[in-house]
Amino acid sequence: MAHVQRMSTLLLKTLRDDPADAETASHKLLVRAGYVRRSSAGVWTWLPLGKKVLDNVARVVREEMDAIGGQEVLLPALLPKEPYEASGRWTEYGAELFRLTDRKGAEYLLGPTHEEIFTLTVKDQCTSYKDLPVILYQIQTKYRDEARPRAGVLRGREFQMKDAYSFDTTDEGLAESYRLHREAYGRIFARLGLDHRVVSAVSGAMGGSASEEFLAPATAGEDTFAYCPGCDYAANTEAVTARIAPADPAAHGPVEELDTPDTPTIGTLAAHLGVPASATLKNLLVKVDGEITAIGVPGDREVDLGKLGEHLAPAVVELVTAEDFTGRPDLVRGYVGPQGLGIRYLADPRVAPGTAWITGANKQGTHARNVVCGRDFTVDRYLDVVVVEPGDPCPRCGTGLEVGRAIEIGHIFQLGTKYTDAFGLDVLGPQGKPVRVTMGSYGIGISRAVAALAEQTHDAAGLCWPREVAPADVHVVAAGKAAQTELALDLAAKLGAAGVRVLVDDRAGVSPGVKFTDAELIGVPQILVVGRGAVNGLVELKDRRTGAREELPLGQAVERLTALL
Ligand code: ATP
Ligand code: MG
């Protein structure tokens, strides 16, 4: 017996017009089709149809997590400050953390992710290596005061996440737990009908070593990923590495100063000297936790500030402002060069030892040529911080990379002992000695997956859900008079009894045209029209995705639909 939902009683008001502030298809359609409503910036109400889709996503995730031995728990979202202080994240998380104070003055936070609390839970429950490995997960509301909540439920400040944590006593155990999650995620996204890629990622503020992201290609996505048409390399562009190819420093002449008035930008410099921008070295000044730092990249490349932030996290990266130059005669704005510069110097790997550059001479209106890396200046740290461009060489095989946009729907990490060290989580090993536990953490954006699905599957007429997540299996439209409505309701009841989830449009006084438009907008996979032909025993079945129509006898509708499922 499956659920039959009558539209005449459903809490639903579809909209003909896009919400004014919506830019992405999923945002527009989920609002127009009555799945979600905005409550405040980045905070959403899930209406009945939306709640069904959200629950369907959660159900698939739950089934696959259970299948790898995950045990579901539910930890609080309201968390005390102390564990997050112990891990350092109370401050590291910065402005993204929702902090609050209770009536007694004790400080709390609304959980953005739960490594700390799961570590403490396991510390409380597990004492011996025999208690491990263990995989715990929850499906829960998370809170992050995102700087730019956007695109409806795609990036919320309150959102649903499945977060899982694995606890092992050995590196091999962690690798195995990680593999189990990686494979489960592949099954989850395949079942949900999400086209996705697994790419290497930067671990960022989470800490730890190996990490991969599951990305759903979509133009509305905020992530970019690079993939190689020549091999199976794929990475978030934030994680793409360039190869350092050292050159011969002896191949270049001595440093030579150039009189270059009014050339504070790479464009003006390259034009003045008649050289390509790639021959110049651009030195961007930023503040890293307040300390002025220079970053050298080839003049024809852009620095990806997001990527820089990821690499230097938890340090805070800011651009320098005019005030930062006051009282700093050593920093000549527009003419900065790494040679003899007394500040920390980071560089892109393309600024390899032995390469020569035209760069600022740290004197107003002056540049220098033949400034050789390793001879005239040294790099304190190499960092991959340039914006990856299509055609950049694949770090694995050298083929030109392609670049695409995507939505991050999942992220898996081998954290190692970052949190178990912070909380001293040991268990007694086989030899009776304490063993430090090693940990993994694994997230899926449940609410974001709904938006990602809408992005990937919609068409001009509306949403177009894959069956597994759709709010119903069939949308029965009573198109005509009371007689058709009666037949439609009767058919809906029979379908329900046969295990088919039904949405039936039995609204009186609504024209067939409006009902058809709503059915397309709502996006249930099959639309069954009970129209004029029904009195003669004929109904029409339409596939929402392909638009294919077939007429069939009313008496065969149940059989036909159960066969489709
Ligand atoms: P992003 O880079 O998009 O901010 P993240 O790296 O901060 O994501 P994680 O901390 O790895 O994300 O969280 C696990 C998953 O939770 C993400 O893969 C994503 O699917 C989802 N998620 C993260 N932030 C949000 C958000 N603000 N709204 C909705 N879903 C989110
Ligand atoms: Mg984030």
Side-chain angles (χ1 to χ4, degrees), residues 10-229:
L10 178 64
L11 186 78
L12 173 72
K13 193 171 123 204
T14 57
L15 306 174
R16 290 291 159 253
D17 295 318
D18 292 331
D21 57 338
E23 277 159 22
T24 58
S26 60
H27 183 180
K28 291 175 189 168
L29 291 171
L30 289 169
V31 171
R32 279 184 46 207
Y35 283 69
V36 298
R37 283 290 181 273
R38 182 180 178 278
S39 173
S40 64
V43 182
W44 292 84
T45 295
W46 291 82
L47 294 170
L49 290 178
K51 180 66 165 55
K52 285 206 160 76
V53 176
L54 190 66
D55 284 352
N56 287 336
V57 172
R59 173 181 45 78
V60 169
V61 170
R62 191 171 271 128
E63 285 171 9
E64 296 298 338
M65 286 304 299
D66 290 346
I68 59 166
Q71 301 178 54
E72 186 171 3
V73 293
L74 184 59
L75 271 54
L78 180 62
L79 302 171
K81 169 190 182 176
E82 290 69 27
Y84 284 76
E85 267 196 323
S87 69
R89 291 208 292 187
W90 176 258
T91 43
E92 278 171 21
Y93 239 106
E96 236 179 71
L97 203 62
F98 274 107
R99 301 170 172 86
L100 59 162
T101 310
D102 75 5
R103 62 171 77 206
K104 292 182 179 143
E107 290 184 281
Y108 283 81
L109 64 129
L110 296 177
T113 172
H114 281 62
E115 281 73 9
E116 287 81 351
I117 314 299
F118 272 85
T119 306
L120 287 172
T121 303
V122 169
K123 188 171 168 155
D124 177 50
Q125 299 286 321
C126 303
T127 49
S128 156
Y129 74 96
K130 290 179 196 152
D131 298 331
L132 302 182
V134 69
I135 294 171
L136 300 175
Y137 76 96
Q138 61 177 349
I139 293 175
Q140 193 215 32
T141 306
K142 292 280 187 283
Y143 296 88
R144 294 182 184 181
D145 195 359
E146 297 277 355
R148 276 172 293 280
R150 68 176 277 278
V153 297
L154 199 58
R155 180 174 299 283
R157 296 197 299 159
E158 174 182 286
F159 58 98
Q160 300 296 312
M161 195 203 288
K162 184 284 298 178
D163 46 327
Y165 307 84
S166 66
F167 297 86
D168 282 273
T169 50
T170 61
D171 291 345
E172 298 72 46
L174 170 58
E176 174 62 7
S177 295
Y178 184 87
R179 187 187 67 79
L180 286 172
H181 281 87
R182 196 179 192 277
E183 289 178 0
Y185 277 33
R187 287 190 290 271
I188 288 167
F189 296 127
R191 279 182 64 185
L192 294 179
L194 268 171
D195 174 26
H196 69 279
R197 309 271 185 288
V198 191
V199 306
S200 308
V202 183
S203 297
M206 212 63 97
S209 48
S211 127
E212 287 167 297
E213 285 169 351
F214 287 74
L215 298 183
T219 48
E222 289 176 282
D223 281 82
T224 53
F225 70 107
Y227 54 99
C228 178

